[in-house]
Amino acid sequence: MPRALTAFSSLYFATLLMLLGSGLLSTYLGLTLAANGVSELWIGLLMTGYYGGLVMGASVGHRLIARVGHIRAFVAGAGLVTASVLCHALFDNVIVWLGLRVLVGMAMMCQFMVLESWLNEQSESHQRGMVFASYMVVTYLGLVLGQVVFAIKPELSLDHLLYVAMCFSLCLVPVATTRQIHPAPLRPAPLKARLFLQRIPQALTTIGVAGLMMGAFYGMAPVYAKSVGLPTSEIGMFMAVTICAGLAAQWPAGWLSDRIDRSQLIQVSAMVLTAVSVVMAIGLMPAGGLIFMTAIFGLMVFTLYPMAVALANDHVEPDDRVPLSAMLLVTFGLGASVGPLVSSGLMKWLGPGMLYVFMAACSAILVFRVRSAAVTGDHLVEAAPLQFMPAAGNLASSPLSAAIDPRVEESAVIEQMQDEVVVEESAAADSGLDADQDDHRPG
């Protein structure tokens, strides 16, 4: 298996560089705006713009890949991100920065789609679980390394923007020089929103709340940490510890999730999150205590999304798991777009501690909404997959993640997401071949 993963090293390296640059950029922008006295509302709005761009980029990415191919689409996305990052150094206007954040989100989603469809194309059925899990681990590692930069270079300067631009420039190299065959273009999967709202309301609620909390965390946690007196080097550590705790929690949570009622596990996690968030909202603790509490926060909050995905898969037939993947990602993206905006408004009007008051309120929703007694089991699928897959939980994924998720049958992906243009071209080619054979038959 390690030999098999070596074949994807170039794609993993490109992913690592992208997430390193993205994580570094998000924290840098938040800290820079806070240092310049910009309103928390604008800081939250910039993160909202980023997640909104990610959601919008799914539709744009499908069309772009179908038109110009995977490598050109990836190069175009990386070029747009690099130029947008450098534009932050040229303009001090937050309205311009907002537009740039939307553009970065759209371009990065296109890049995610290229990487994930490529991983699916090159992996065999028995490898997909390891390939998918490794991809998620790389996203976590990239996000952590992006925060570690602040521990090494705590002084805020334009150098950080240059590092981000370098990351997105260098991520072009392994993709542009690959000799692998282009994957087949895929089209967007149908959402089937009404079906899923009726069948998996608790899972969708958990996904939406996870989006609210993760969007608020990535957008406003650096501002909160700065407001409570942490220096820039420790703010990077604050963020990195949270993300590392989330990564460490994935496999233990998966082991528990496959043996304990998932809705009960989500409810218990939400209870712990509520208590931890209240303690952090009150504050009045040394830096070491704050780091410890945010580690517990990361352990709980980063497992909400994958547990909810597993719960949803338990109640959806195999043929509907491709549109389910798209529905869950859209739900998470919408929540992640709203979370920074609401939490930043609360912080502006009532103080920085309101970030974790907002977190406590969000997790309290799950305490009362997601419970075992509310799961009827009417739609429980006997052939539901047991495996719990780690998930990045920051929308570092696209609707094409269904293609490499081992819980989704490969045939269902091909049937529901295969590009109609490719099918038509294939049919036309077959017709032309048949006609050519007819011309050469003896009359």
Side-chain angles (χ1 to χ4, degrees):
M1 188 62 68
R3 181 183 300 178
L5 294 180
T6 303
F8 311 115
S9 58
S10 61
L11 299 180
Y12 289 148
F13 185 58
T15 304
L16 177 70
L17 289 171
M18 285 176 56
L19 270 298
L20 194 163
S22 177
L24 173 57
L25 179 62
S26 295
T27 303
Y28 170 80
L29 293 179
L31 293 177
T32 300
L33 291 175
N36 293 335
V38 176
S39 168
E40 292 90 345
L41 194 60
W42 272 107
I43 299 174
L45 190 59
L46 258 63
M47 184 56 68
T48 292
Y50 170 70
Y51 279 109
L54 283 171
V55 173
M56 292 186 292
S59 177
V60 175
H62 277 103
R63 292 197 293 268
L64 182 62
I65 292 171
R67 177 173 296 181
V68 303
H70 285 73
I71 290 181
R72 290 188 179 93
F74 189 89
V75 170
L80 283 173
V81 175
T82 302
S84 299
V85 169
L86 295 176
C87 278
H88 286 86
L90 299 177
F91 301 96
D92 291 332
N93 192 310
V94 290
I95 297 178
V96 175
W97 282 24
L98 175 60
L100 293 174
R101 290 299 279 158
V102 174
L103 186 60
V104 167
M106 295 177 66
M108 285 193 66
M109 176 54 75
C110 181
Q111 292 180 281
F112 288 137
M113 293 174 70
V114 170
L115 292 170
E116 288 166 12
S117 59
W118 224 314
L119 287 171
N120 173 61
E121 186 81 7
Q122 296 182 24
S123 61
E124 300 177 11
S125 296
H126 68 278
Q127 298 174 338
R128 292 167 73 204
M130 181 64 72
V131 169
F132 187 88
S134 300
Y135 174 68
M136 291 296 107
V137 170
V138 170
T139 64
Y140 273 100
L141 181 59
L143 289 169
V144 170
L145 291 178
Q147 310 308 317
V148 171
V149 172
F150 290 101
I152 300 173
K153 189 176 178 59
E155 300 83 8
L156 294 175
S157 67
L158 295 182
D159 290 354
H160 293 88
L161 292 178
L162 296 179
Y163 298 151
V164 176
M166 287 173 61
C167 287
F168 280 95
S169 297
L170 290 174
C171 78
L172 286 167
V173 177
V175 174
T177 58
T178 183
R179 291 183 292 179
Q180 299 292 341
I181 299 175
H182 282 224
L186 300 176
R187 61 183 174 84
L191 288 181
K192 298 186 178 181
R194 180 177 298 179
L195 170 66
F196 296 136
L197 286 171
Q198 294 174 349
R199 182 164 293 190
I200 52 170
Q202 294 193 70
L204 290 179
T205 299
T206 306
I207 293 287
V209 168
L212 288 169
M213 298 180 74
M214 295 308 303
F217 171 76
Y218 281 111
M220 304 309 300
V223 180
Y224 165 84
K226 182 177 180 62
S227 68
V228 297
L230 292 184
T232 302
S233 59
E234 292 187 12
I235 292 174
M237 186 63 64
F238 177 86
M239 298 292 290
V241 165
T242 313
I243 298 169
C244 284
L247 172 60
Q250 297 296 308
W251 282 270
W255 186 86
L256 289 172
S257 177
D258 289 339
R259 290 160 176 80
I260 301 175
D261 182 86
R262 301 192 202 278
S263 57
Q264 182 180 356
L265 201 57
I266 291 172
Q267 187 180 42
V268 171
S269 296
M271 291 178 180
V272 176
L273 267 175
T274 303
V276 170
S277 298
V278 169
V279 172
M280 295 186 71
I282 296 173
L284 303 177
M285 67 181 74
L290 195 61
I291 295 295
F292 175 75
M293 295 305 294
T294 197
I296 299 177
F297 179 86
L299 286 171
M300 298 296 108
V301 76
F302 276 88
T303 56
L304 288 179
Y305 180 87
M307 283 194 294
V309 172
L311 178 63
N313 274 276
D314 289 341
H315 296 82
V316 171
E317 288 79 8
D319 291 343
D320 286 327
R321 286 179 187 147
V322 174
L324 171 66
S325 177
M327 181 69 184
L328 296 182
L329 285 164
V330 168
T331 303
F332 183 90
L334 293 176
S337 299
V338 174
L341 193 58
V342 175
S343 60
S344 63
L346 293 172
M347 293 174 71
K348 173 179 173 56
W349 293 315
L350 300 173
M354 291 303 296
L355 171 63
Y356 285 95
V357 172
F358 172 76
M359 300 289 195
C362 290
S363 55
I365 294 173
L366 299 182
V367 173
F368 296 100
R369 171 65 174 162
V370 182
R371 58 191 190 279
S372 300
V375 180
T376 63
D378 293 341
H379 304 290
L380 190 64
V381 179
E382 292 184 2
L386 290 178
Q387 65 265 42
F388 166 104
M389 294 303 301
N394 69 320
L395 207 62
S397 187
S398 78
L400 298 188
S401 63
I404 54 175
D405 190 335
R407 293 169 297 198
V408 180
E409 292 293 334
E410 192 170 2
S411 59
V413 175
I414 296 174
E415 179 182 351
Q416 298 187 42
M417 300 183 69
Q418 186 70 48
D419 197 323
E420 295 172 351
V421 175
V422 175
V423 175
E424 292 173 0
E425 289 178 352
S426 177
D430 291 341
S431 299
L433 180 62
D434 293 341
D436 185 63
Q437 291 175 346
D438 290 340
D439 289 341
H440 290 81
R441 288 172 185 164

